Amino acid sequence: MPSLKALRGRIVSVTSTQKITSAMKMVAASKLRRAQNQAGAAKPYAERMERMLAALAAAASGGPGAPKLLAGTGNDKTHLLVAITGDRGLAGAFNANIGRMTRARVGKLRAEGKAVKIFAVGRKGTDYLSHEFPDLVVDSVNYAGRKSINFADAQAIAGRITALLEAGEFDVCTLLYNRFHSVISQVPTATQLIPAPKPEAAAAEGVHAIVEFEPAEEEMLAQLLPLNLAVQIYRAQLESAAGFYGSQMAAMDNATRNAGDMIKSLTLRYNRARQANITNELIEIISGAEAV
Amino acid sequence: MALELEIVSPDRIVLSKPVEMVVLPGAEGELGVLVDHAPMVVMLQPGTIRVTEDGKVTDEIAVDGGFAEITGARVTVLVSGAPAA
C-alpha cells in the first residue's frame, strides 16, 4: 500500500498531465480547422487541373514520344514509394499506419523480385523508414518547425521526383499517405503517380474532341505534367496534414479521458487510505483509554 | 450571354464572375476571348490578365504563367501565383 504522500504526488502529476493533453487537444482542434480550410481551398485548382489534363491526354495519347511523366519508362522494375507522414508524434497510430503500409509494400514488391526505393516526407516517417530500411531511402524532406506547408514545398518534391525519373532511377512511383476521411478516421491510401493512371471516360463532355492547343500538345504536356505532379502531391500533403491534426485530437481526447479515470481511482484510493489511517488512530486511542 | 471567367490558384479561387471579355497573355501572343470562342487550351506567359465589363477594364491581374482552358461559355485560368490586382 503506497503512503498517503506518494498517492498525493501521483494525483498531482496525473492532473498536470491531463492539463497538458487537454490543451494539446484544443490546439489540434484549431489547427485541424485551418488545415481543413487549406485543403478545401486547394480543391478547385486540383479539379480543374484534372479536367484540363484529361482533355490534353486524350488529344496527345498514342503519340510515340509520350512524356515519361505520363507513360512511365515502359518498365516495371524499380518502384519509388513516396511516404507522407507527420513531423510530430502524439497522434495515435497516424504515423505508424503509414510506416506499416510502407513496410508491407516493400515486402510485397521484393517478393515479386522488384527493386524498391523510398522518398520519405515528414520527420516521423523519415526516422522510422531510415531505421527500418537504411539502404532504400533515397531522399527525404521534413517541415519540422514550420506552421503550414505551401504549394512551393510540393513543387520542390515534384522537382526531385522528376529529376529521379529523368535519371532513370525508378519506373513506377506510388504515393502513400493518410487520406482524410473524417476527423476521427484517416485511411492509409496508395495512389499511383507515374505512370499516370488513364483518365476514366474523360471526354464525356463531347465538345472536347475539337479543342485547339497553343502551343502544341507535346510542348504543353511537358509543362503541365510536372505541375500536375506537384498538385497531386500538394493535395496529399494537405490531406495528410488535416488527418494528422484529426488523429492528434482524437489521441489527446483519449488521453484526457484516461487521465480523468486515473485521477478518479487514485482519489478513491487516497481517501480510503486516509480513512484507514484515521480509524487506526481511533482504535489506538480508544484501546489506550480502555486499558487505563 | 456572358462569359464565365474563373481564375484559380493552388491556394484559392482568385476570381469567379461573368465578364464580357478577357485578355490573356498567351505564350504565343496576347489573345482576347469573347463568348462563343472556339474551344482551346492555351499556355500563358508572365503578364497581366485584363477583364472587361461594359466596355471598361474592371480587373487587371498579374500572373506568373499558367494555363487557360477556353470553351464557348467558360474560361478557366490556372495560375501558380496571383497577387491581388
Side-chain angles (χ1 to χ4, degrees):
Chain A
M1 182 98 182
S3 69
L4 279 181
K5 188 161 183 291
L7 275 174
R8 212 155 43 218
R10 282 184 63 189
I11 292 175
V12 170
S13 120
V14 176
T15 309
S16 40
T17 306
Q18 189 188 30
K19 276 184 190 152
I20 294 170
T21 58
S22 82
M24 281 182 78
K25 183 189 150 193
M26 306 286 189
V27 172
S30 88
K31 286 190 174 171
L32 168 67
R33 192 148 18 88
R34 194 166 345 131
Q36 270 182 302
N37 285 344
Q38 203 186 353
K43 214 169 185 178
Y45 191 81
E47 279 169 359
R48 285 165 181 84
M49 171 68 79
E50 220 163 85
R51 201 174 60 198
M52 202 179 284
L53 196 67
L56 256 173
S61 66
K68 276 187 185 173
L69 275 175
L70 187 67
T73 54
N75 286 330
D76 185 25
K77 284 214 177 63
T78 311
H79 284 242
L80 178 72
L81 303 177
V82 182
I84 300 183
T85 55
D87 289 316
R88 293 150 172 261
L90 295 176
F94 182 85
N95 294 319
N97 278 344
I98 290 299
R100 198 177 313 131
M101 192 181 183
T102 312
R103 208 177 52 209
R105 285 230 154 205
V106 171
K108 191 168 146 257
L109 289 169
R110 275 179 167 171
E112 289 169 10
K114 285 165 185 154
V116 185
K117 287 173 182 174
I118 296 173
F119 189 139
V121 179
R123 191 168 64 87
K124 282 285 161 184
T126 310
D127 288 352
Y128 172 75
L129 292 170
S130 52
H131 176 75
E132 190 83 14
F133 307 109
D135 42 347
L136 296 188
V137 179
V138 288
D139 206 346
S140 72
V141 62
N142 73 69
Y143 307 103
R146 288 267 303 274
K147 258 196 174 141
S148 64
I149 47 160
N150 55 40
F151 189 59
D153 297 325
Q155 275 182 311
I157 295 177
R160 290 201 215 173
I161 292 176
T162 312
L164 284 174
L165 179 70
E166 293 301 331
E169 293 279 324
F170 70 89
D171 303 310
V172 179
C173 175
T174 311
L175 190 63
L176 308 176
Y177 69 104
N178 278 297
R179 198 162 55 81
F180 184 83
H181 185 253
S182 75
V183 174
I184 49 164
S185 118
Q186 294 80 36
V187 192
T189 309
T191 310
Q192 184 171 317
L193 291 179
I194 304 166
K198 285 260 175 282
E200 332 127 6
E205 289 187 45
V207 211
H208 275 304
I210 38 152
V211 181
E212 282 176 52
F213 295 95
E214 183 190 309
E217 290 95 320
E218 287 74 26
E219 199 178 323
M220 197 174 274
L221 270 179
Q223 295 288 324
L224 197 58
L225 286 170
L227 198 57
N228 181 53
L229 185 65
V231 168
Q232 291 204 30
I233 292 169
Y234 186 54
R235 187 149 75 160
Q237 280 186 298
L238 291 181
E239 287 220 14
S240 173
F244 173 79
Y245 290 121
S247 182
Q248 184 169 56
M249 203 175 94
M252 287 302 120
D253 189 44
N254 271 338
T256 308
R257 221 188 336 252
N258 285 345
D261 290 349
M262 199 158 179
I263 291 171
K264 222 180 257 172
S265 84
L266 281 175
T267 313
L268 188 66
R269 274 172 69 189
Y270 174 77
N271 285 339
R272 281 209 181 125
R274 191 172 56 94
Q275 197 60 57
N277 270 357
I278 295 168
T279 313
N280 267 345
E281 272 174 39
L282 279 178
I283 290 171
E284 275 165 27
I285 292 167
I286 292 166
S287 52
E290 272 176 357
V292 173
Chain B
M1 204 174 98
L3 185 68
E4 282 296 329
L5 173 67
E6 262 184 331
I7 301 179
V8 191
S9 81
D11 303 319
R12 66 204 167 97
I13 295 179
V14 180
L15 191 87
S16 174
K17 64 177 178 186
V19 301
E20 187 186 328
M21 179 175 87
V22 56
V23 179
L24 302 170
E28 294 177 358
E30 284 211 330
L31 74 164
V33 181
L34 292 162
V35 77
D36 281 336
H37 193 285
M40 65 187 300
V41 178
V42 189
M43 198 159 86
L44 304 183
Q45 61 180 5
T48 50
I49 297 176
R50 284 199 303 281
V51 179
T52 309
E53 283 169 288
D54 297 328
K56 285 193 288 282
V57 174
T58 52
D59 289 278
E60 290 199 37
I61 297 162
V63 296
D64 57 357
F67 298 90
E69 185 195 29
I70 301 164
T71 64
R74 196 180 57 210
V75 175
T76 309
V77 185
L78 298 183
V79 296
S80 40

